Amino acid sequence: MTISSPAPSPPTSTGHSTAPSTAGPSLSAGPATEPSTAPSSTPAIRLAIYDMDKTITHAPTWTPFLLHTAKKGGAPWRLALVPFAGVAALGYVGKLISRGRLKYLMQRMMLGKRMTLAEERRAAEAFADHVMRDGVFTSARAQIEADRVAGYRLVMATASYRFYVEAIARRLDFDAVIGTESLRDRDGVLLAGIDGENCYGPAKLRMIQAWMDREGIARDHAHIRFYSDHVSDAPTFEWADEPFAVNAHGPLRLLAKAKSWPMPDWER
C-alpha cells in the first residue's frame, strides 16, 4: 500500500522510504471498541485518524528510536551521551526549552548532524520491525482492521517525525501519515531539526486540515473518527465526529467524562 504524505515544505525536500513492507497486522481479536455504525446520511468520505505513541504503540517511540538506531546503526558510542539527553529532557520539563528544541538536541546527540537517505531508511525499517514484534496493542490492530473493513481511510497523525513513522504505518496498512517534518539539505539529506510545526496540540489539527485541503476533502463531506491517548489532542477531539479517548491518562479521562466521549482501554 502506498502511503500518501504531506507535500514538502519549500525549500527543503522531504523524501522518504517507499520500500514495500513484508510485515502486516496479525489480528486475533475483534475490535476493541464498538463505534456506532455510520448512518445512511453520513458523508461518503470516511476518515479514521489515529495518534500513534501510546495510542497504537505501548510506549512513546522517539527516544526508543534514537537509542535503537545508535546501538544498531554502528555508533554505540553515542549511548554515552544519554545522560546529556536526560539533562535536556529536564530542561523541557522545567520549561527552559521547547519540545521542538528538545527533539533537535536529542537527535543531534543520538543520530549526529545528518543522515543519508540510505541510513535513514535502514534505521526506520529496522526500528519498525522492532516495534511490530511486540510494541503494538492487539486491540489497536483490531480496531484499525475494523475501520478498514468499514470503509474508512486510515490516517496516522502523530507528533513523532514522519521520516521514521511511515515504516510503522506501512506495516499497519495506513493510507496516509501526517507527522512532524524534518529539516533537509538541498540533496534531501536528513538534518537535525523541525521543518514547520511540531505536529502536537493545536498544530496537529491545523496539519490534518491542511492535509485534507491538499487531498480535496471538504470537512462537511467527511465523517471523522479520531483516536488518541492524550489531552493535548483536545482540539482534534472536539473537531471530530466520533472522538475516542484511548488509554486515557488523568487529564484526558476527566475531559472525556465531561464530554461523554468513549474511553476504550486497549490493553496489551
Side-chain angles (χ1 to χ4, degrees):
M1 176 172 292
T2 301
I3 295 177
S4 66
S5 304
S9 303
T12 60
S13 168
T14 56
H16 61 277
S17 170
T18 57
S21 168
T22 58
S26 173
L27 299 170
S28 58
T33 64
E34 296 293 338
S36 58
T37 302
S40 58
S41 59
T42 295
I45 299 174
R46 299 180 181 183
L47 301 177
I49 304 176
Y50 287 75
D51 175 50
M52 185 179 74
D53 290 357
K54 299 183 73 175
T55 299
I56 293 174
T57 62
H58 295 167
T61 57
W62 175 230
T63 299
F65 169 75
L66 294 176
L67 296 176
H68 184 274
T69 302
K71 183 178 180 180
K72 304 291 186 180
W77 61 268
R78 290 190 178 276
L79 297 177
L81 300 175
V82 168
F84 298 97
V87 171
L90 289 175
Y92 168 71
V93 172
K95 299 184 179 180
L96 299 176
I97 61 173
S98 68
R99 182 178 290 263
R101 181 64 176 171
L102 174 62
K103 283 185 172 182
Y104 164 80
L105 292 171
M106 292 181 70
Q107 182 174 342
R108 184 71 175 81
M109 284 186 275
M110 294 292 102
L111 302 184
K113 186 177 180 179
R114 53 198 284 130
M115 290 182 76
T116 66
L117 184 58
E119 291 170 335
E120 172 192 336
R121 288 177 174 175
R122 187 163 53 247
E125 297 295 331
F127 182 68
D129 287 340
H130 172 74
V131 170
M132 294 302 295
R133 277 195 290 273
D134 60 4
V136 175
F137 289 114
T138 299
S139 295
R141 293 176 184 261
Q143 189 60 57
I144 291 166
E145 178 64 11
D147 282 338
R148 181 187 299 110
V149 170
Y152 282 81
R153 186 173 178 183
L154 301 175
V155 181
M156 189 179 288
T158 173
S160 296
Y161 281 111
R162 184 169 64 86
F163 79 86
Y164 78 88
V165 168
E166 285 190 331
I168 298 171
R170 279 197 306 276
R171 285 158 172 77
L172 293 168
D173 287 337
F174 271 79
D175 300 297
V177 173
I178 301 164
T180 301
E181 298 290 342
S182 301
L183 289 174
R184 296 179 183 273
D185 68 13
R186 66 181 62 186
D187 297 317
V189 171
L190 183 74
L191 305 175
I194 293 175
D195 183 10
E197 293 191 282
N198 188 33
C199 188
Y200 181 83
K204 180 180 287 189
L205 177 55
R206 289 194 293 271
M207 292 173 75
I208 292 171
Q209 291 170 324
W211 173 83
M212 290 176 64
D213 287 345
R214 289 192 296 273
E215 294 292 309
I217 301 172
R219 178 63 185 91
D220 58 357
H221 292 166
H223 182 87
I224 297 174
R225 291 176 175 172
F226 179 66
Y227 305 85
S228 177
D229 73 292
H230 204 273
V231 73
S232 64
D233 284 322
T236 309
F237 279 120
E238 296 278 7
W239 169 83
D241 297 297
E242 293 184 82
F244 295 92
V246 178
N247 308 327
H249 64 151
L252 178 56
R253 183 167 292 275
L254 291 174
L255 178 62
K257 283 183 178 180
K259 299 287 186 177
S260 298
W261 296 337
M263 291 185 284
D265 188 6
W266 291 349
E267 296 294 342
R268 299 187 185 194

